[in-house]
Amino acid sequence: MMSNPIFRLLCVSFLAWMAIFYSSIMSAVAIWIRSETFTHCFIILPICIYILRLKWPQLRVAKIQPNFWVLVLILGVLVIWLLGNLAEFLVIEQAAAFLMLPMMIWLLLGNQVAKLMIFPLAFWMFSVPVGEALVPQLQDLTADITVWLLQLTGIPVYRDGLYLTIPTGLFEVAEACSGIRYLIASATMGALFAYLNYQSYKKRIIFIIFSLVLPLIANGIRAYGIVMIAYMSDMKYATGVD
């Protein structure tokens, strides 16, 4: 493998990308380390390498034909990266920086190789620590599901924003209850599972949608379960550390 020109160009692309965007990459890695929401990002590169290994019999005989038209896209991504960097808008800066690696590979190896690598190149973008902006909306959704299920089971509930009051106590749908970790992890693993187990694009899309919807519903049920346990135990359980 190491003597194959595709392998060498992949290594060159990765090392060049690391050198050019080092500060943006390290800022993302710092978030991976600091936030439990994004610890899954550490396994994205190994997964991409694993998928490339599966594709290697096809890749090793693919024709390398650099696509210089990609330079137009690269220029646009560089402008976005620069604007994000100047504005200190970290999400934009990191997303543009991580997008540059697939772009560089596409530029150097061409359309045929990039087509064979389309999933790992797309999956690579799960390395970007993005999604926490959805937390307020997810908190509202969790509160909506919890209130609906409480009313469905005959438990009187009063909602004031993210605070839910039942006869035995008061609950807050905090950020930790938003389900963002479930959603991001499920989306990541759902995309991988769909790629590895289905050949039809339709089935893959359906499964990915399922992997997005399921954690949202499951998190709402989880929150409802906590409230119900507290209610039925007269606030003895499912409070505080529970």
Side-chain angles (χ1 to χ4, degrees):
M1 179 189 291
M2 295 182 69
S3 61
N4 188 280
I6 290 180
F7 178 79
R8 292 199 299 268
L9 285 173
L10 285 173
C11 292
V12 168
S13 300
F14 188 79
L15 293 174
W17 173 75
M18 286 281 292
I20 296 169
F21 298 101
Y22 180 79
S23 62
S24 300
I25 296 166
M26 294 312 296
S27 68
V29 173
I31 295 174
W32 300 353
I33 295 170
R34 182 177 70 249
S35 173
E36 291 184 2
T37 303
F38 300 109
T39 50
H40 72 281
C41 292
F42 283 106
I43 67 170
I44 299 301
L45 179 58
I47 290 173
C48 289
I49 293 172
Y50 169 73
I51 295 169
L52 290 178
R53 288 282 299 179
L54 295 179
K55 285 282 186 181
W56 192 248
Q58 297 168 268
L59 285 170
R60 65 190 300 270
V61 297
K63 183 180 179 181
I64 298 174
Q65 190 171 3
N67 184 350
F68 295 105
W69 285 106
V70 180
L71 285 170
V72 177
L73 297 176
I74 286 178
L75 181 60
V77 176
L78 278 173
V79 170
I80 293 172
W81 174 82
L82 182 60
L83 292 174
N85 182 268
L86 293 174
E88 297 184 351
F89 199 160
L90 211 53
V91 172
I92 298 298
E93 177 189 341
Q94 291 168 351
F98 277 82
L99 182 58
M100 280 300 299
L101 180 59
M103 291 291 176
M104 291 167 66
I105 292 172
W106 186 10
L107 168 68
L108 294 175
L109 297 177
N111 294 346
Q112 185 178 351
V113 177
K115 186 176 180 181
L116 289 171
M117 295 176 59
I118 189 167
F119 180 79
L121 293 180
F123 190 77
W124 168 250
M125 295 307 295
F126 279 110
S127 302
V128 181
V130 63
E132 289 191 327
L134 296 174
V135 167
Q137 290 80 8
L138 293 176
Q139 286 176 279
D140 283 330
L141 178 62
T142 302
D144 290 340
I145 295 173
T146 305
V147 169
W148 181 74
L149 289 174
L150 287 171
Q151 292 173 339
L152 194 65
T153 48
I155 309 300
V157 57
Y158 171 75
R159 177 178 176 181
D160 181 13
L162 297 176
Y163 291 92
L164 310 180
T165 305
I166 62 174
T168 54
L170 173 67
F171 295 85
E172 178 189 5
V173 182
E175 288 187 13
C177 299
S178 66
I180 186 65
R181 295 178 188 174
Y182 299 148
L183 179 61
I184 293 175
S186 181
T188 304
M189 293 299 101
L192 178 61
F193 183 90
Y195 173 76
L196 293 175
N197 289 276
Y198 300 112
Q199 298 300 316
S200 164
Y201 283 105
K202 181 180 178 181
K203 289 182 178 180
R204 287 175 176 175
I205 292 171
I206 290 172
F207 189 86
I208 290 171
I209 293 173
F210 172 77
S211 70
L212 293 172
V213 173
L214 179 64
L216 299 178
I217 297 173
N219 187 62
I221 294 173
R222 179 184 69 90
Y224 163 73
I226 291 172
V227 176
M228 278 298 293
I229 291 170
Y231 174 76
M232 296 180 72
S233 66
D234 197 24
M235 303 301 285
K236 184 178 179 181
Y237 301 111
T239 61
V241 176
D242 291 346

